[in-house]
Coordinates of all heavy atoms in Angstrom, one line a residue:
R474 N 2.9 -22.9 -9.8 CA 2.2 -23.1 -8.5 C 3.2 -23.9 -7.7 O 3.4 -23.6 -6.5 CB 0.9 -23.7 -8.7 CG 0.1 -23.8 -7.4 CD -1.1 -24.6 -7.4 NE -1.9 -24.7 -6.2 CZ -1.5 -25.4 -5.2 NH1 -0.5 -26.1 -5.1 NH2 -2.3 -25.2 -4.1
S478 N 4.8 -22.2 -4.2 CA 4.1 -22.5 -2.9 C 5.0 -22.4 -1.7 O 4.5 -21.9 -0.7 CB 3.4 -23.9 -3.0 OG 2.2 -23.9 -3.9
I481 N 5.6 -18.8 -0.9 CA 4.4 -18.1 -0.3 C 4.2 -18.5 1.1 O 3.9 -17.7 2.0 CB 3.2 -18.6 -1.2 CG1 3.1 -17.9 -2.5 CG2 1.8 -18.2 -0.4 CD1 2.1 -18.5 -3.5
R500 N -5.2 -15.0 -11.4 CA -5.2 -15.6 -10.1 C -3.8 -16.1 -9.9 O -3.2 -16.9 -10.6 CB -6.2 -16.8 -10.1 CG -6.3 -17.4 -8.7 CD -6.6 -16.5 -7.6 NE -7.7 -15.6 -7.7 CZ -9.0 -16.0 -7.6 NH1 -9.3 -17.2 -7.2 NH2 -10.0 -15.2 -7.8
L501 N -3.1 -15.6 -8.8 CA -1.8 -15.9 -8.4 C -1.6 -16.8 -7.3 O -0.8 -17.7 -7.2 CB -0.9 -14.7 -8.2 CG -0.8 -13.7 -9.4 CD1 0.2 -12.5 -8.9 CD2 -0.3 -14.3 -10.6
I502 N -2.6 -16.7 -6.3 CA -2.5 -17.5 -5.0 C -4.0 -18.0 -4.8 O -5.0 -17.3 -4.8 CB -2.1 -16.6 -3.9 CG1 -0.8 -15.9 -4.1 CG2 -2.1 -17.4 -2.6 CD1 -0.3 -14.9 -2.9
D503 N -4.0 -19.3 -4.6 CA -5.3 -20.0 -4.4 C -5.6 -20.2 -2.9 O -4.7 -20.0 -2.1 CB -5.4 -21.3 -5.2 CG -4.4 -22.3 -4.9 OD1 -4.0 -22.4 -3.7 OD2 -3.9 -23.0 -5.8
A504 N -6.7 -20.8 -2.6 CA -7.2 -20.9 -1.2 C -6.1 -21.9 -0.5 O -5.8 -21.7 0.7 CB -8.6 -21.5 -1.2
E505 N -5.7 -22.9 -1.2 CA -4.8 -24.0 -0.5 C -3.5 -23.2 -0.1 O -3.0 -23.5 0.9 CB -4.6 -25.1 -1.5 CG -3.8 -26.3 -0.8 CD -3.6 -27.4 -1.8 OE1 -4.3 -27.5 -2.8 OE2 -2.7 -28.2 -1.4
Q506 N -3.0 -22.5 -1.1 CA -1.7 -21.8 -0.8 C -1.9 -20.7 0.4 O -1.0 -20.6 1.3 CB -1.2 -21.0 -2.0 CG -0.8 -22.0 -3.1 CD -0.4 -21.3 -4.4 OE1 -1.2 -20.5 -4.9 NE2 0.7 -21.5 -5.0
L507 N -3.1 -20.0 0.4 CA -3.3 -19.1 1.5 C -3.4 -19.9 2.8 O -2.8 -19.4 3.9 CB -4.6 -18.4 1.3 CG -4.6 -17.3 0.2 CD1 -6.0 -16.9 -0.1 CD2 -3.7 -16.1 0.6
A508 N -4.0 -21.1 2.9 CA -4.2 -21.8 4.0 C -2.8 -22.4 4.5 O -2.7 -22.6 5.8 CB -5.0 -23.0 3.7
G509 N -1.8 -22.4 3.8 CA -0.5 -22.9 4.1 C 0.4 -21.7 4.6 O 1.7 -22.0 5.0
M510 N -0.1 -20.5 4.6 CA 0.7 -19.4 5.0 C 0.7 -19.3 6.6 O -0.1 -19.9 7.3 CB 0.2 -18.1 4.5 CG 0.5 -18.0 3.0 SD -0.2 -16.4 2.3 CE 1.1 -15.3 3.0
N526 N -5.9 -10.9 -7.4 CA -5.0 -12.0 -7.6 C -5.0 -13.2 -6.8 O -4.5 -14.2 -7.0 CB -3.5 -11.3 -7.6 CG -3.3 -10.3 -8.6 OD1 -2.6 -9.3 -8.2 ND2 -3.7 -10.4 -9.8
C527 N -5.8 -13.0 -5.7 CA -5.9 -14.0 -4.7 C -7.3 -14.4 -4.4 O -8.2 -13.7 -4.5 CB -5.3 -13.6 -3.3 SG -3.6 -12.8 -3.4
E528 N -7.4 -15.7 -4.1 CA -8.8 -16.3 -3.8 C -9.2 -15.6 -2.5 O -8.4 -15.7 -1.5 CB -8.7 -17.8 -3.7 CG -10.0 -18.5 -3.8 CD -10.0 -20.0 -4.1 OE1 -8.9 -20.3 -4.6 OE2 -10.9 -20.6 -3.8
G529 N -10.4 -15.1 -2.4 CA -10.9 -14.5 -1.1 C -10.8 -13.1 -1.0 O -11.3 -12.5 0.0
T530 N -10.1 -12.3 -2.0 CA -9.9 -11.0 -1.9 C -11.3 -10.3 -2.1 O -12.0 -10.7 -2.9 CB -9.0 -10.5 -3.1 OG1 -7.7 -11.0 -2.8 CG2 -8.9 -8.9 -3.1
V538 N -8.7 -14.4 5.8 CA -8.9 -15.6 4.9 C -8.0 -16.7 5.5 O -6.8 -16.7 5.3 CB -8.6 -15.3 3.4 CG1 -8.8 -16.5 2.6 CG2 -9.3 -14.1 2.9
G539 N -8.5 -17.6 6.3 CA -7.7 -18.5 6.9 C -6.8 -17.9 7.9 O -7.2 -17.0 8.7
P540 N -5.5 -18.2 7.8 CA -4.5 -17.5 8.7 C -4.0 -16.1 8.2 O -3.3 -15.4 8.9 CB -3.3 -18.4 8.6 CG -3.4 -19.0 7.3 CD -4.8 -19.2 7.0
V541 N -4.6 -15.7 7.1 CA -4.1 -14.5 6.3 C -5.0 -13.3 6.5 O -6.2 -13.4 6.5 CB -3.9 -14.8 4.8 CG1 -3.4 -13.6 4.0 CG2 -2.9 -15.9 4.6
M543 N -6.1 -10.3 4.5 CA -6.2 -10.0 3.1 C -6.6 -8.6 2.9 O -7.8 -8.2 3.3 CB -7.1 -11.0 2.4 CG -7.2 -10.7 0.8 SD -5.7 -11.3 0.0 CE -5.8 -13.0 0.2

Side-chain angles (χ1 to χ4, degrees):
R474 185 187 185 285
S478 290
I481 291 170
R500 184 57 51 84
L501 300 182
I502 304 178
D503 60 34
E505 185 179 346
Q506 290 171 314
L507 289 171
M510 292 181 70
N526 296 138
C527 307
E528 199 164 340
T530 297
V538 182
V541 177
M543 182 70 68

